[in-house]
Amino acid sequence: MKTQDPYDNEKTRRKIEAMVEAEERYLAALRRERLESEATPLRITGRRTFLAAAAAAAGIGGLPRIAGAAAPPGAVERPVPADPTKVQGTPTNDDGGYGSRSQFESEARWRFGTPTKESSWTMTPLEHGMGIITPSGLHFERHHGGITTIDPSRHTLLVHGMVEQAKKYSMADIHRFPSISRTMFIECSGNGLTEWSKPTLKTVQGTHGLTSTSEWTGVPLALLLRESGIKPGAKWVLAEGADAAVMTRSIPLDKCLDDAFIAYGQNGEAIRPEQGYPIRLMLPGWEGNTHIKWLRRLEVSDVPYQTREETSKYTDLMANGIARQFTFVMEAKSVITFPSGEMKLPGPGFYEVTGIAWSGRGKITRLEVSADGGKTWADAHLQGPVLPICHTRFRFPWLWDGKPAVLQSRATDETGYVQPMLKQLTDVRGLNGPIGSIYHLNAVQSWAVAADGSVTNVHA
Amino acid sequence: MFTLRTAKWLGVSACAALLAAGCAATQRSGEVPQSAYAGGKLNLGTAPTTAEIAHYFSYPADGRGLPSGSGSYAQGEKVYQTKCLACHGDKLQGTPLGDRLIGGRGTLVNNSPAKAPVKTVESYWPYATSVFDYVKRAMPFNAPGSLSDDEAYAVVAYILGEANIVAKNEVINAGTLARVQMPNRNGFVSPDPRPDVP
């Protein structure tokens, strides 16, 4: 009998390799698409044209398509007239009343190569992001038991436990509450887990794609809890989803009475199924896993429940063998999305460096960019709106002299917290295996620009 | 709907009511205008029946609320072989389809990127109640929530037996489960020490 490896090296290697392969498949599709489209004239105006032209050799900025599919996901393939001014266009409302994107746009989420498709995750293509809103269909996903399908007319939310009066709410009841809207990011605390010990994934979608921003609409949780009345001694609220994982997390009551809310809206329409339709718990600034999707139950308690997702997972193992538990807040972080991994700059000259910054503790107050691997820094422009706990777009004019450069961005939030370098994090937390303490990697990201203009993920 | 819309503009601060409920009442975001709501209840929703509430479960570490029933190592071995083995392996060593469940003690203290710690029920999980809760709610992966309470107790007895945490002749039930001392019981710290870098 083969003796088992005393460490989980094999399993971890497989896991990382699967992620690298998933990204590689996506990049290969991009390259194929590029070859196929080379004969046709540039079809997109503005920045995308530039990117497409700039990146032709490196093969990014193109349009990946599902093999054999007529149109990219979310688009409808239509004939392209030689001269659009000489024929009538598509009849009005022929799309059934719900629009689709252009057939020439096909950036997509890709799924990490986890063995099951039900416990898996997808990444937002940040490299093509504009402004601060993530299109609902590109919002990253993390599921532990697939995407459940719920009929809202049969869905209820139960509030019970240490309350004066247990309550049951239908969706109609929930819609009768006063509502709020809030534009905010959700980030999975596992975002960047492949990057702890060495640069591993190639694109910003791979290294940072587990963060997205939407405008969410719903009901402050404090209002729901007030309907029930909380008993003295209560400190925690267990939130439970109606999916196959019956996902549960214990949330401190203070957070529930502060800024937590229950969202039924996303970017102006009902929340998407993969984001928790019909309702999702929103905990501004806290790790994505706590934003329980398909929310069906809230149980008020004096103790946390020690669920699997707050013990076995979503705990941060330090080098000394002790794991941090209930590490909820997503600390300040930023990343340059242009230029980023796998892109290619056509030559020296002017570039507008851009990216996003965000903090779970409030507003971004400052964003610095370095082009020399952190030796010197200069302030970037924060593009409004600058909202608390929300992706914030930054822009930075850069004259590239054509010599090798290392681009970095560093965010500061309104608490004065400055985004750390990776070494600062590992000095304190250690590096317990190839993926370290897994969660909460918010270090400065470095992109190396080579003399030939190609951009790669590096640790600097 | 107009009554609710106007309720927002009644100008009576809800903070008093929220404070009574233990609310920090700080308006951190500036976007969640709790203070704009009128105090008092809106009397929405309905009262659930006891049976409706009893349909749900969650078992904290002190074991309160655990169901009746029980299971032994021997019974659990049968449950495991028919319902878990395919994904978690004949020796609980894990397969690409399911996590490794035992082993790994002594691998958690480590500061080498070349060595991946082995986090399992045996080496990492601080409470046995969490194992029962999780297996009952989410396993087997292909038929979640399908185990009877007896089966769930039994398969936990089997896993903990194979992990050398409880004796193989011990019966696991509502009384014994919460008393199980997991090896990594003291392996966790909270609250969160971050920010932990200057």
Side-chain angles (χ1 to χ4, degrees):
Chain A
M1 192 187 87
K2 195 169 147 260
T3 52
Q4 201 165 357
D5 179 359
Y7 286 89
D8 254 351
N9 292 334
E10 181 57 23
K11 178 181 140 195
T12 312
R13 192 188 54 72
R14 263 205 321 261
K15 187 173 170 178
I16 295 172
E17 257 173 28
M19 296 175 199
V20 173
E21 281 163 18
E23 186 188 51
E24 193 44 55
R25 270 195 301 277
Y26 182 80
L27 287 171
L30 282 170
R31 290 187 194 108
R32 263 199 315 277
E33 186 70 31
R34 166 134 328 275
L35 290 178
E36 281 165 20
S37 65
E38 219 137 52
T40 56
L42 288 171
R43 300 167 298 191
I44 312 156
T45 54
R47 178 171 201 89
R48 294 293 301 281
T49 309
F50 166 71
L51 278 182
I60 194 132
L63 310 160
R65 295 207 181 162
I66 290 172
V76 178
E77 190 79 18
R78 301 187 196 282
V80 184
D83 181 346
T85 68
K86 297 291 182 284
V87 287
Q88 293 296 331
T90 308
T92 311
N93 214 35
D94 242 21
D95 54 12
Y98 195 95
S100 50
R101 65 173 163 177
S102 162
Q103 68 203 64
F104 301 109
E105 297 297 323
S106 56
E107 68 216 43
R109 304 183 282 218
W110 54 259
R111 187 181 73 82
F112 264 29
T114 48
T116 80
K117 281 189 164 184
E118 292 79 20
S119 179
S120 196
W121 57 99
T122 63
M123 323 287 291
T124 294
L126 296 174
E127 49 267 58
H128 300 301
M130 302 175 203
I132 59 173
I133 300 289
T134 310
S136 299
L138 295 176
H139 194 293
F140 85 87
E141 307 156 87
R142 173 56 167 127
H143 312 300
H144 287 263
I147 303 158
T148 193
T149 303
I150 292 177
D151 176 349
S153 70
R154 287 169 49 201
H155 189 72
T156 56
L157 174 63
L158 181 67
V159 179
H160 69 122
M162 291 176 69
V163 293
E164 304 293 346
Q165 170 65 61
K167 283 273 189 172
K168 190 177 77 172
Y169 300 101
S170 66
M171 284 305 297
D173 293 333
I174 290 172
H175 278 277
R176 283 186 60 193
F177 276 90
S179 62
I180 57 156
S181 289
R182 176 158 194 178
T183 305
M184 58 171 249
F185 78 85
I186 304 178
E187 184 184 14
C188 175
S189 52
N191 201 13
L193 68 88
T194 53
E195 308 303 310
W196 277 104
S197 57
K198 56 174 191 263
T200 302
L201 295 177
K202 293 178 172 154
T203 63
V204 68
Q205 182 171 14
T207 58
H208 289 75
L210 291 174
T211 185
S212 303
T213 283
S214 287
E215 184 198 61
W216 304 94
T217 299
V219 180
L221 183 48
L223 291 183
L224 282 174
L225 293 174
R226 199 170 71 195
E227 290 295 285
S228 282
I230 289 158
K231 285 189 174 163
K235 290 197 186 69
W236 294 83
V237 177
L238 179 93
E240 181 179 270
D243 57 329
V246 205
M247 179 60 61
T248 44
R249 286 293 302 255
S250 307
I251 312 299
L253 179 62
D254 284 350
K255 181 71 173 177
C256 297
L257 295 173
D258 181 9
D259 57 358
F261 63 106
I262 288 166
Y264 46 71
Q266 178 185 8
N267 294 332
E269 62 180 352
I271 187 170
R272 291 281 164 108
E274 69 270 29
Q275 300 304 331
Y277 184 89
I279 41 171
R280 177 175 199 173
L281 178 61
M282 306 299 292
L283 301 174
W286 285 20
E287 63 185 5
N289 180 256
T290 60
H291 298 50
I292 300 293
K293 295 178 285 189
W294 312 291
L295 185 71
R296 72 171 190 186
R297 187 167 77 94
L298 296 165
E299 182 170 355
V300 181
S301 165
D302 54 346
V303 292
Y305 282 80
Q306 306 291 352
T307 73
R308 184 246 189 177
E309 310 304 326
E310 60 207 25
T311 53
S312 168
K313 306 292 172 195
Y314 302 100
T315 49
D316 314 18
L317 182 61
M318 303 291 114
N320 64 2
I322 300 293
R324 295 175 179 175
Q325 196 183 16
F326 304 121
T327 46
F328 295 121
V329 173
M330 300 308 298
E331 298 190 289
K333 189 166 172 180
S334 69
V335 68
I336 292 171
T337 55
F338 175 83
S340 60
E342 289 289 293
M343 293 182 182
K344 187 159 183 175
L345 304 179
F350 173 78
Y351 294 93
E352 185 186 60
V353 173
T354 183
I356 47 171
W358 63 99
S359 166
R361 292 203 182 94
K363 285 185 185 169
I364 294 296
T365 50
R366 184 177 193 191
L367 192 291
E368 297 157 285
V369 168
S370 173
D372 54 13
K375 285 197 226 28
T376 58
W377 296 87
D379 283 334
H381 168 67
L382 296 179
Q383 172 182 296
V386 179
L387 300 171
I389 310 183
C390 188
H391 282 176
T392 301
R393 170 113 349 230
F394 64 84
R395 302 186 179 282
F396 181 83
W398 182 45
L399 261 185
W400 182 42
D401 59 11
K403 298 202 182 86
V406 173
L407 289 169
Q408 298 174 321
S409 66
R410 181 168 76 186
T412 304
D413 71 18
E414 63 179 300
T415 69
Y417 176 89
V418 181
Q419 184 184 4
M421 302 303 294
L422 181 59
K423 185 169 183 310
Q424 286 175 278
L425 289 181
T426 52
D427 278 353
V428 175
R429 302 178 192 173
L431 202 49
N432 199 330
I435 54 175
S437 46
I438 304 177
Y439 307 102
H440 297 291
L441 196 170
N442 67 322
V444 166
Q445 167 70 35
S446 306
W447 302 116
V449 183
D452 71 354
S454 56
V455 185
T456 48
N457 177 14
V458 294
H459 278 183
Chain B
M1 291 298 279
F2 72 95
T3 47
L4 288 169
R5 294 289 152 215
T6 47
K8 282 189 186 177
W9 305 107
L10 288 182
V12 187
S13 168
C15 276
L18 289 169
L19 276 170
C23 166
T26 46
Q27 214 174 293
R28 280 200 333 195
S29 67
E31 286 207 16
V32 185
Q34 290 171 3
S35 59
Y37 300 121
K41 295 184 181 181
L42 303 173
N43 293 316
L44 294 170
T46 49
T49 63
T50 319
E52 277 174 321
I53 296 175
H55 173 70
Y56 301 102
F57 67 87
S58 274
Y59 309 119
D62 61 11
R64 72 178 86 151
L66 281 169
S68 55
S70 68
S72 68
Y73 174 94
Q75 291 160 337
E77 185 170 23
K78 290 202 190 71
V79 175
Y80 185 84
Q81 282 170 353
T82 49
K83 301 189 174 178
C84 323
L85 182 146
C87 297
H88 292 287
D90 58 345
K91 306 214 158 35
L92 292 77
Q93 77 278 26
T95 75
L97 290 179
D99 296 314
R100 175 172 170 180
L101 300 176
I102 61 168
R105 292 197 212 194
T107 66
L108 301 184
V109 181
N110 162 44
N111 201 13
S112 163
K115 289 192 274 182
V118 183
K119 298 184 206 166
T120 67
V121 168
E122 175 179 348
S123 67
Y124 198 60
W125 290 47
Y127 302 102
T129 45
S130 312
V131 190
F132 179 81
D133 180 281
Y134 181 69
V135 168
K136 181 175 165 177
R137 81 176 49 244
M139 288 294 131
F141 196 76
N142 52 332
S146 61
L147 298 186
S148 69
D149 289 335
D150 284 342
E151 286 177 309
Y153 278 125
V155 82
V156 169
Y158 176 70
I159 296 170
L160 297 180
E162 286 294 292
N164 295 310
I165 293 170
V166 301
K168 293 184 179 169
N169 58 7
E170 208 180 306
V171 166
I172 294 292
N173 58 32
T176 56
L177 183 69
R179 287 204 298 273
V180 172
Q181 271 297 317
M182 298 293 276
N184 198 37
R185 168 69 186 84
N186 297 317
F188 294 82
V189 284
S190 63
D192 188 353
R194 295 173 306 149
D196 54 355
V197 291

